[in-house]
Amino acid sequence: MIIEVGGRRIELDWKDAAMLLALLWVKFNALSVSHFHAVEADPGRLRARVEGLKSLGLIREVKLGRGSVVYLTDLGYQVASLLEKKAAALNVLQKSA
């Protein structure tokens, strides 16, 4: 899918979108990279996906010992919010009780 924010076109696949939405929905917009193994099980591919999102300017990463935490940038927050709105408009988000 292609998302346009501030005149910039960003191409994402569903796994990228899932990672951005997960970061949007957690309290501090940050998660350890290990939380994303459900989205991308292969560690090498997960690392490549994180690097791709970083190169797009959507997330930043902080190393903590042997692990790391990723969080949304301002642009990442805008993109994730737009993804959430598009998903809601398509009625693909589960509504909480």
Side-chain angles (χ1 to χ4, degrees), residues 11-75:
E11 188 170 349
L12 303 169
D13 67 11
W14 74 267
K15 290 181 179 185
D16 296 328
M19 290 175 68
L20 294 175
L21 287 171
L23 288 167
L24 178 68
W25 292 336
V26 296
K27 188 171 185 171
F28 298 105
N29 303 122
L31 287 169
S32 69
V33 171
S34 64
H35 279 92
F36 295 110
H37 286 292
V39 174
E40 188 67 76
D42 180 81
R45 288 185 179 155
L46 177 57
R47 172 57 35 206
R49 190 166 296 283
V50 167
E51 292 301 322
L53 292 172
K54 282 171 47 180
S55 71
L56 290 171
L58 303 177
I59 63 172
R60 290 206 178 101
E61 182 176 20
V62 176
K63 301 285 185 182
L64 297 172
R66 292 180 15 186
S68 63
V69 171
V70 293
Y71 62 94
L72 292 172
T73 62
D74 289 339
L75 177 61

Side-chain angles (χ1 to χ4, degrees), residues 70-97:
V70 293
Y71 62 94
L72 292 172
T73 62
D74 289 339
L75 177 61
Y77 187 86
Q78 291 174 12
V79 169
S81 295
L82 185 58
L83 286 168
E84 182 180 46
K85 287 177 187 169
K86 287 182 177 235
L90 293 170
N91 202 29
V92 294
L93 294 180
Q94 181 178 354
K95 296 179 182 177
S96 59

